[in-house]
């Protein structure tokens, strides 16, 4: 496990709970107090606990050694280049299939890892379960919309991860291999691009964004742009047209998560880096690649960058 935050601890706990040999590579020097308490998962998928002896912790990616069936990357997307570099350095010291599975929101990080490890080694997971870290050793599952899906954006056979999906499911986190993970990830990109930046800039939960014509107009424009950009890039999601998705978005998805605040809002409040470059920023770049303008996504990306910048940014 690379990244022992909300997602990493929950996923690692589920695997350790069914007897997998789990190693958490934490950031070097980081005080992982949870390693002395074990890991507790509570919430929508039930309660489960792993004792400190059930998993191992190593100090930094560079300290990893041994045989790994899979390397699950559960960091934020902005750490991808750094994590990829560190993993590439230690790669020759590792044995086994070493399938790299990215538990990432947004779009683009798989290309970073593919460039280093090749199309057969890099897989993606689509997560639409909500994990909140209530204490250093305690992750709460706040919402569970569907099983985690794992698959390849580069044509590799997802059934090579059937063992991982089965282990996670047995450990209490439903998971299934998916043939077309791109559609799943892009469906989540639509939802995140409409809600996260605007919710973060307004400082409100998602439900409030659906209440006014002004915010709905911004979200409508975001969704139109994402559909235009996906079409021009030869990509598609589960809906053929923006208006089809909008119906599901406003009638089902938004009401179901009305109380939810985006992690981007929490990151801005705490002065932390956000994942905007993998969401609106990724849409902007995909548009630039094919000459499609995305003024609303670009403006949201610029505003989120500006909202985080401090005097030291000049
Ligand atoms: N939380 C959710 O409900 C949820 C749901 C779906 C998808 N996701 C996606 O899942 C990904 C992870 O999210 P999260 O909520 O788990 O984030 P998080 O709680 O912030 O955890 C990220 C972890 O990565 C660690 N990290 C960063 N750089 C590292 C490095 N170089 N080496 C080792 N560890 C490193 C951080 O360590 P430090 O503690 O030392 O900073 C932190 O523990 C994101 O892409 C997110 O969008 C999250």
């Amino acid at each position: 496990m690379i990244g022992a935050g909300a997602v990493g601890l929950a996923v690692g706990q589920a695997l350790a709970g069914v007897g997998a040999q789990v190693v958490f590579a934490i950031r070097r020097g980081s005080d992982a107090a949870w390693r002395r308490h074990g890991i507790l998962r509570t919430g929508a998928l039930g309660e489960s606990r792993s004792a400190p002896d059930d998993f191992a912790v190593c100090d930094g990616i560079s300290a990893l050694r041994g045989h790994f069936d899979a390397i699950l990357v559960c960091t934020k997307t902005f750490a991808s280049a750094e994590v990829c570099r560190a993993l590439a350095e230690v790669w020759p010291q590792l044995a086994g299939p070493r399938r790299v599975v990215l538990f990432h929101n947004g779009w683009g990080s798989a290309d970073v890892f593919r460039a280093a490890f090749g199309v057969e080694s890099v897989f993606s997971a689509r997560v639409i379960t909500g994990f909140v870290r209530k204490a250093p050793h305690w992750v709460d599952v706040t919402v569970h919309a569907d099983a985690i899906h794992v698959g390849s954006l580069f044509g590799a056979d997802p059934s090579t991860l059937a063992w991982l999906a089965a282990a996670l499911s047995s450990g209490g986190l439903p998971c299934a291999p998916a043939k077309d993970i791109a559609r799943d990830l892009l469906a989540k990109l639509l939802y995140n691009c409409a809600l996260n930046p605007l919710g973060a800039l307004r400082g409100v939960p998602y439900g409030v964004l659906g209440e006014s014509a002004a915010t709905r107009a911004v979200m409508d424009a975001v969704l139109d742009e994402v559909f235009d950009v996906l079409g021009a890039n030869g990509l598609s999601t589960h809906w053929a047209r923006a208006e089809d998705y909008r119906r599901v978005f406003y009638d089902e998805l938004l009401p179901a998560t009305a109380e939810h605040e985006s992690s981007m809002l929490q990151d801005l409040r705490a002065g932390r880096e956000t994942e905007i470059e993998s969401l609106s920023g990724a849409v902007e770049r995909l548009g630039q690649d094919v000459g499609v303008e995305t003024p609303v996504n670009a403006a949201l990306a610029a505003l989120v960058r500006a909202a985080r910048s401090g005097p030291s940014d000049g």
Side-chain angles (χ1 to χ4, degrees):
M1 306 295 311
I2 299 179
V7 172
L9 282 178
V11 169
Q13 190 282 326
L15 293 171
V18 293
Q21 287 182 282
V22 174
V23 181
F24 289 96
I26 59 167
R27 223 199 278 265
R28 190 177 300 158
S30 160
D31 170 33
W34 47 270
R35 69 167 98 175
R36 293 188 290 280
H37 301 282
I39 306 167
L40 170 66
R41 173 168 54 80
T42 57
L45 294 169
E47 186 168 322
S48 184
R49 200 180 281 270
S50 292
D53 289 348
D54 295 340
F55 53 86
V57 178
C58 90
D59 203 18
I61 296 168
S62 61
L64 284 171
R65 295 289 180 279
H67 176 110
F68 293 93
D69 291 314
I71 296 167
L72 311 190
V73 180
C74 303
T75 52
K76 289 283 181 71
T77 51
F78 49 75
S80 289
E82 176 195 337
V83 168
C84 194
R85 218 174 12 254
L87 191 55
E89 276 172 23
V90 81
W91 194 255
Q93 265 82 259
L94 308 181
R98 298 169 294 176
R99 299 209 163 84
V100 178
V101 190
L102 307 174
F103 284 68
H104 278 163
N105 265 348
W107 192 255
S109 61
D111 286 331
V112 175
F113 285 84
R114 183 208 47 183
F117 305 111
V119 292
E120 292 296 324
S121 293
V122 179
F123 293 80
S124 297
R126 186 279 330 246
V127 181
I128 47 176
T129 302
F131 299 94
V132 172
R133 203 154 167 197
K134 295 246 175 166
H137 71 294
W138 173 18
V139 183
D140 193 52
V141 176
T142 52
V143 60
H144 177 65
D146 192 13
I148 294 170
H149 281 181
V150 286
S152 167
L153 288 172
F154 311 116
D157 182 359
S159 70
T160 52
L161 292 181
W163 63 271
L164 177 65
L168 279 170
S169 301
S170 302
L173 295 184
C175 180
K179 281 220 169 63
D180 201 348
I181 195 75
R183 285 175 181 240
D184 291 332
L185 289 171
L186 292 169
K188 186 148 193 219
L189 182 76
L190 282 168
Y191 174 88
N192 286 142
C193 284
L195 293 170
N196 291 27
L198 195 55
L201 292 166
R202 284 282 318 274
V204 296
Y206 292 160
V208 175
L209 300 176
E211 287 167 9
S212 98
T215 44
R216 285 171 84 110
V218 174
M219 295 191 290
D220 288 350
V222 164
L223 295 173
D224 281 337
E225 288 181 8
V226 179
F227 269 90
D228 286 349
V229 157
L230 296 187
N233 277 280
L235 295 166
S236 61
T237 178
H238 299 299
W239 302 270
R241 300 169 312 164
E243 50 266 46
D244 301 333
Y245 177 71
R246 262 200 290 274
R247 254 192 306 279
V248 176
F249 177 71
Y250 286 117
D251 293 350
E252 297 171 27
L253 304 178
L254 190 49
T257 49
E259 307 296 322
H260 190 81
E261 273 188 1
S262 73
S263 59
M264 192 175 285
L265 171 54
Q266 290 153 24
D267 289 338
L268 279 185
R269 278 190 184 129
R272 290 189 297 254
E273 191 163 359
T274 74
E275 295 192 304
I276 192 69
E277 303 308 339
S278 307
L279 302 175
S280 323
V283 173
E284 188 183 358
R285 285 191 305 280
L286 280 170
Q288 286 163 353
D289 289 347
V290 290
V292 172
E293 299 215 337
T294 57
V296 181
N297 281 279
L300 287 170
L303 289 168
V304 170
R305 287 176 202 125
R308 187 180 171 258
S309 66
S312 60
D313 293 336

